[in-house]
């Protein structure tokens, strides 16, 4: 069994206004021992508050999770004129499984007039899991612009298409060097803060079959809890940022054999360590249902 946790930790900021990655680590520890931890909103050198300063949160996570390798994917890496120093902002993927491949994917940012937005990124890793190489994509899509989210969803679909093409049309490889054979399987998990609502336009586009193919991403929640509304992943405790109340913005989408092996998905609604809630996906052995077969 492989367990993957996804959580937008908001730099460790709680609804009470204090910042603590130790609190985040305690929550993760209480949920068990995930094989891979996908965190969004992690920073290095960004001033969070007068009390918290401008920490290197990737280094802090490495100290708090000594059994894990920390892979930081910077969506924003710059020295703004208003800052005393250069800082980075993005996603952190922690894994205790052997890493076979790491890739960073800038996500599209088409122009939108009068709407604030920032660069976004997806961190892709391939790990050596129990059932073989497993692809995990940790991401955070734009909040303020639906146009940009749709463009970013299209890029995620392209990432799945690339893996399918490389599987059906394998390249010529060399025994050593950058042209050697590297695992990049279709079997994969796309997780994070998608900033979209269940059933919305971006959600429907992400799940649509790829052009000319029957394969598509599947919502792991629907596989585990068919017909049941998504549990809320934000707005439970932070009513200032989320006046609309509890709702879902965070997901796991699976592809390839992970559709067959998705066995459990739970949202922890008890912690108020962030404005979002942590979610845990389990991949194991699961009996395929008729609807799984017919949907592919």
């Amino acid at each position: 069994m492989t367990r993957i946790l996804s959580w937008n930790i908001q730099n460790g900021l709680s609804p009470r206004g204090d910042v603590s990655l130790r609190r985040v680590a305690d929550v993760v520890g209480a949920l068990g021992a995930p094989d891979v931890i996908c965190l969004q909103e992690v920073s290095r050198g960004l001033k969070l508050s007068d009390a918290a300063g401008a920490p290197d949160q990737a280094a802090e996570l490495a100290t708090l999770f000594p059994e894990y390798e920390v892979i930081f994917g910077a969506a924003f890496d710059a020295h703004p004129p208003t800052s005393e120093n250069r800082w980075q902002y993005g996603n952190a993927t922690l894994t205790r499984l052997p890493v076979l491949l790491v890739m960073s994917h800038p996500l599209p940012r088409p122009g939108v007039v009068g709407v604030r937005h920032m660069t976004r990124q997806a961190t892709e890793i391939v790990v050596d899991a129990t059932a073989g190489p497993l692809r995990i994509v940790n991401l955070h899509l734009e909040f303020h612009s639906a146009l940009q989210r749709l463009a970013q969803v299209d890029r995620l679909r392209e990432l799945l298409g690339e893996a399918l093409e490389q599987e059906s049309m394998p390249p010529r490889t060399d025994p050593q060097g950058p042209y050697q054979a590297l695992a990049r399987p279709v079997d994969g998990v796309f997780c994070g803060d998608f900033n979209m609502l269940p059933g919305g336009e971006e959600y429907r586009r992400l799940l649509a079959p790829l052009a000319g193919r029957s394969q598509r991403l599947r919502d792991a929640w629907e596989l585990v809890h068919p017909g049941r509304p998504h549990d809320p992943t934000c707005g439970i405790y932070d009513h200032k940022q989320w006046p609309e109340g509890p709702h879902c913005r965070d997901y796991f989408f699976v592809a390839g054999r992970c559709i067959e092996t998705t066995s459990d998905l739970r949202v922890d609604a008890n912690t108020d360590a962030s404005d979002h809630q942590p979610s845990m996906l389990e991949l194991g052995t699961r009996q395929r249902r008729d609807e799984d077969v017919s949907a592919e």
Side-chain angles (χ1 to χ4, degrees):
M1 181 176 68
T2 301
R3 306 174 79 222
I4 305 169
L5 181 140
S6 179
W7 191 7
N8 182 333
I9 62 170
Q10 196 181 209
N11 300 117
L13 176 67
S14 78
R16 296 175 298 279
D18 59 319
V19 175
S20 172
L21 289 188
R22 165 58 67 183
R23 179 173 53 229
V24 168
D26 290 343
V27 171
V28 173
L31 293 175
D35 297 291
V36 180
I37 304 169
C38 296
L39 305 177
Q40 301 89 47
E41 295 198 30
V42 177
S43 64
R44 308 177 74 179
L46 172 66
K47 184 175 181 180
L48 303 177
S49 68
D50 290 338
D56 182 341
Q57 293 195 313
E60 287 189 28
L61 290 168
T63 300
L64 291 168
F65 295 92
E67 297 180 356
Y68 293 77
E69 178 178 353
V70 178
I71 300 162
F72 183 74
F76 189 96
D77 186 341
H79 190 165
T82 57
S83 175
E84 296 180 358
N85 56 285
R86 173 183 165 196
W87 55 271
Q88 299 174 322
Y89 189 77
N91 311 311
T93 304
L94 291 67
T95 175
R96 58 179 185 171
L97 299 176
V99 177
L100 305 177
L101 179 69
V102 176
M103 301 181 71
S104 179
H105 305 289
L107 296 178
R109 191 187 182 190
V112 183
V113 176
V115 176
R116 67 175 186 170
H117 48 80
M118 63 180 179
T119 58
R120 302 284 177 166
Q121 178 265 3
T123 304
E124 174 182 341
I125 69 170
V126 177
V127 296
D128 191 6
T130 304
L134 173 66
R135 183 188 194 194
I136 301 170
V137 182
N138 177 14
L139 60 100
H140 188 186
L141 302 189
E142 178 56 47
F143 172 76
H144 296 284
S145 170
L147 176 68
Q148 291 187 352
R149 279 196 304 277
L150 285 167
Q152 292 160 5
V153 160
D154 286 340
R155 179 59 184 135
L156 299 179
R157 287 165 53 81
E158 289 175 356
L159 294 181
L160 175 59
E162 289 173 7
L164 287 165
E165 289 174 352
Q166 290 167 18
E167 180 183 67
S168 62
M169 297 180 288
R172 195 185 80 186
T173 60
D174 295 340
Q176 296 180 349
Y179 288 103
Q180 65 184 291
L182 298 172
R184 197 187 183 200
V186 174
D187 309 325
V189 175
F190 290 65
C191 64
D193 180 356
F194 287 75
N195 271 318
M196 63 187 184
L197 300 179
E201 183 179 2
E202 308 98 307
Y203 177 91
R204 297 193 306 272
R205 183 179 295 187
L206 184 61
L207 294 182
L210 300 184
R213 297 179 180 271
S214 61
Q215 294 93 336
R216 63 187 179 95
L217 288 166
R218 299 289 301 277
D219 184 347
W221 182 267
E222 292 292 339
L223 294 174
V224 177
H225 309 287
R228 174 178 151 188
H230 288 71
D231 281 356
T233 63
C234 63
I236 296 178
Y237 300 102
D238 191 335
H239 302 139
K240 182 177 180 180
Q241 289 193 88
W242 305 110
E244 63 269 59
H247 61 287
C248 177
R249 290 178 180 267
D250 307 81
Y251 304 84
F252 285 92
F253 296 98
V254 293
R257 288 182 298 174
C258 294
I259 295 173
E260 303 174 17
T261 61
T262 293
S263 57
D264 195 21
L265 174 54
R266 300 182 303 276
V267 177
D268 174 26
N270 296 319
T271 180
D272 63 351
S274 171
D275 65 326
H276 286 247
Q277 308 304 125
S279 303
M280 184 87 79
L281 176 75
E282 291 185 2
L283 301 174
T285 302
R286 189 177 69 93
Q287 182 67 41
R288 293 176 67 90
R289 297 189 299 265
D290 291 340
E291 58 266 33
D292 292 345
V293 178
S294 62
E296 292 185 25

